[in-house]
Amino acid sequence: MLVRAVFSKLLALAIPVALVSAIVGALGGREAAAACAVLLLTVAWLHQARNLLRLKRWLKAPSLDTLPQSMGLWEDVYAGLARLLRAQRQHATDLSRAVERFRLAGTAMPEGLVILDGDDRILWCNPAAERHFGLELARDARQQVTYLVRQPQFAQYLAAQSYGEPLILRTPRPQEMVLSVQLVPYGDNQKLVTSRDITHWERVETMRRDFVANVSHELRTPLTVLVGFLETLNGMASINHDIARRTLTLMSEQGTRMQHLVEDLLTLSQLESTQNPPREEAVDMARLARDLRDDAAALSGGRHRILLAVECGDWVTGNEAELRSAFGNLVSNAVRYTPEGGEIRMAWRRGADSEGPAFSVQDSGIGIESHHLPRLTERFYRVDRGRSRDTGGTGLGLAIVKHVLGRHQARLDVKSEPGRGSTFTAVFPQQRVAAVPAASEPLSA
Ligand code: ADP
């Protein structure tokens, strides 16, 4: 195609030269024809030479704006070059758009991405990787990654060249994090390092492990005692009635202890289930407080002075069963951790300033040292393990309180002084105050 086009253009040049030369030859003789042909060919050659020079100059900085204009064969050449240049520009634009799309996708990814060359130098990394490894692309590009990610396990993982399993890496900076790091070799000896922040999952996993260990431990003790008693009874040739009665009483205590533990565990699991939001109603807190005072009196069996002050008639929107269980735990703790002769003051009163009403239980009991206070609502956290167990505690009471209050957007304040007593206060937000039904009881303690 091209050859034919060039050939036809050359022909288009040769024919007029031959024709003009022939006419000049017919008029002026052979020399004149030869001179005319030489002249015409020289003009044609000068034209070609000029265009070649323009092309050479243009090729130094090819641009559509500066593309020379010409005629004949050169017009086709320049048109072809313009087409080529446009196609190349389009290709470059498509390519840079594709690169930009990948860069943006990489930047938006929550996982960290680092591209390393064959010598483990950083070629590129995304913002998540900058956060995970404390890198800064502008500063650290072309640096050896092991100079910057300095944990020895990372260097070993890189060197081992077996990347089947991810590496769990704890980073001390810029903030403490647990990362799952995976290396993927690709292309021409390059490597892609991906990192995922699994700090949260690691914490949940640790909590799960601790929880299972705690529950097993809590159940093992009473179970061991029960099994021991059963074996003793079983090994006796004849069962003495008195011994059997005493043993059965102790066994029943251990059974009750396990029962309480399982009940508290079920309560906690129900509270934690997100598919189980609390059924809400208007709760008469004054009546609930009076019920709790009666429960406290029954639990105390006359060993404590128990007082209730109902200074506010507010009802709250909430789940009565959950609130009863939470406040019941506060009251039972007050009774259990207050020696005989002590005093327990319960109150339902309006809060200060913009705060809603509060239910408080104050005791004159053993109190708690301040460093224990932040951890009291953790599951199975006990200040005095022996005392908690001896009084039938499961170590889950305050964890239940915390969950219930959380579901009601209320908070728990704890004030305590060793040897002087403690005050646990549940403070409701103002928006939890419910309208009091028309036919409700008047205020009275
Ligand atoms: P427990 O079943 O052991 O009482 P809780 O979760 O109810 O578990 O309480 C956690 C710990 O907080 C208790 O073991 C106890 O050491 C301490 N505690 C709770 N309430 C009181 C209180 N009123 N006075 C003193 N210590 C308390």
Side-chain angles (χ1 to χ4, degrees), residues 4-114:
R4 206 174 333 134
V6 169
F7 188 70
S8 71
K9 292 283 178 186
L10 284 176
L11 219 60
L13 177 72
I15 289 171
V17 170
L19 265 176
V20 172
S21 301
I23 293 166
V24 171
L27 295 173
R30 215 183 270 172
E31 283 85 8
C36 176
V38 168
L39 184 72
L40 287 174
L41 286 172
T42 309
V43 170
W45 179 82
L46 281 173
H47 173 69
Q48 305 299 338
R50 179 169 166 262
N51 273 303
L52 269 174
L53 277 174
R54 286 164 78 191
L55 179 62
K56 188 180 162 208
R57 220 177 302 133
W58 179 81
L59 280 173
K60 282 187 186 154
S63 150
L64 278 174
D65 302 335
T66 56
L67 193 69
Q69 303 284 326
S70 193
M71 339 175 286
L73 186 61
W74 285 99
E75 189 183 1
D76 291 354
V77 170
Y78 290 139
L81 282 171
R83 261 198 312 280
L84 216 68
L85 211 62
R86 262 187 231 110
Q88 194 201 31
R89 271 191 182 177
Q90 186 58 45
H91 186 64
T93 310
D94 289 351
L95 206 67
S96 68
R97 281 204 190 121
V99 169
E100 185 59 11
R101 269 200 301 275
F102 276 108
R103 198 188 64 79
L104 285 176
T107 304
M109 268 182 77
E111 276 85 21
L113 298 175
V114 186

Side-chain angles (χ1 to χ4, degrees), residues 55-373:
L55 179 62
K56 188 180 162 208
R57 220 177 302 133
W58 179 81
L59 280 173
K60 282 187 186 154
S63 150
L64 278 174
D65 302 335
T66 56
L67 193 69
Q69 303 284 326
S70 193
M71 339 175 286
L73 186 61
W74 285 99
E75 189 183 1
D76 291 354
V77 170
Y78 290 139
L81 282 171
R83 261 198 312 280
L84 216 68
L85 211 62
R86 262 187 231 110
Q88 194 201 31
R89 271 191 182 177
Q90 186 58 45
H91 186 64
T93 310
D94 289 351
L95 206 67
S96 68
R97 281 204 190 121
V99 169
E100 185 59 11
R101 269 200 301 275
F102 276 108
R103 198 188 64 79
L104 285 176
T107 304
M109 268 182 77
E111 276 85 21
L113 298 175
V114 186
I115 295 177
L116 302 178
D117 69 7
D119 297 321
D120 296 337
R121 282 184 305 230
I122 297 169
L123 295 180
W124 180 82
C125 71
N126 70 351
E130 290 185 321
R131 268 195 318 279
H132 290 170
F133 298 113
L135 300 173
E136 206 183 301
L137 184 60
R139 184 194 60 201
D140 300 329
R142 299 255 139 225
Q143 297 279 332
Q144 196 82 29
V145 69
T146 43
Y147 292 166
L148 302 163
V149 183
R150 301 198 69 95
Q151 284 91 325
Q153 315 96 286
F154 182 74
Q156 283 158 14
Y157 182 65
L158 213 62
Q161 309 226 331
S162 93
Y163 310 127
E165 288 292 310
L167 166 75
I168 305 298
L169 195 67
R170 279 164 210 283
T171 63
R173 65 171 190 139
Q175 70 194 74
E176 226 173 277
M177 250 192 273
V178 185
L179 298 175
S180 168
V181 178
Q182 176 88 55
L183 223 138
V184 189
Y186 77 100
D188 188 15
N189 211 14
Q190 295 188 334
K191 295 181 196 98
L192 178 68
V193 182
T194 65
S195 57
R196 204 151 55 85
D197 181 359
I198 55 163
T199 317
H200 174 71
W201 300 115
E202 177 81 0
R203 210 172 289 146
V204 169
E205 182 56 20
T206 310
M207 267 169 64
R208 190 193 62 80
R209 266 199 307 266
D210 288 355
F211 184 68
V212 171
N214 275 324
V215 171
S216 316
H217 180 78
E218 294 290 332
L219 285 172
R220 195 178 52 189
T221 316
L223 261 179
T224 312
V225 178
L226 272 179
V227 171
F229 283 143
L230 284 172
E231 278 171 1
T232 313
L233 285 177
N234 208 19
M236 286 165 82
S238 63
I239 295 184
N240 175 299
H241 189 262
D242 283 348
I243 294 179
R245 179 155 299 281
R246 255 181 287 139
T247 310
L248 284 174
T249 308
L250 291 170
M251 283 169 69
S252 145
E253 272 169 22
Q254 298 301 326
T256 310
R257 198 171 136 191
M258 283 201 292
Q259 201 178 12
H260 285 161
L261 183 64
V262 172
E263 275 163 9
D264 278 359
L265 284 171
L266 282 173
T267 306
L268 259 185
S269 109
Q270 252 169 13
L271 288 172
E272 280 178 346
S273 147
T274 43
Q275 293 123 11
N276 181 28
R279 194 178 45 77
E280 296 194 339
E281 62 212 319
V283 181
D284 180 355
M285 282 299 298
R287 183 180 45 77
L288 181 60
R290 280 183 218 111
D291 290 354
L292 289 168
R293 180 204 42 206
D294 297 345
D295 293 349
L299 212 62
S300 157
R303 289 175 296 126
H304 308 93
R305 212 161 88 85
I306 295 171
L307 304 162
L308 168 65
V310 177
E311 296 170 8
C312 143
D314 284 349
W315 288 38
V316 297
T317 308
N319 183 287
E320 180 161 353
E322 287 186 9
L323 292 174
R324 186 180 288 273
S325 145
F327 297 150
N329 274 316
L330 295 183
V331 168
S332 110
N333 280 355
V335 173
R336 287 167 44 232
Y337 297 109
T338 303
E340 192 164 351
E343 192 174 83
I344 293 161
R345 289 173 175 270
M346 295 155 61
W348 174 236
R349 51 172 69 106
R350 203 147 274 155
D353 304 327
S354 59
E355 290 198 322
F359 176 77
S360 62
V361 183
Q362 183 183 4
D363 64 57
S364 60
I366 58 172
I368 306 161
E369 282 184 65
S370 61
H371 68 272
H372 292 293
L373 297 183

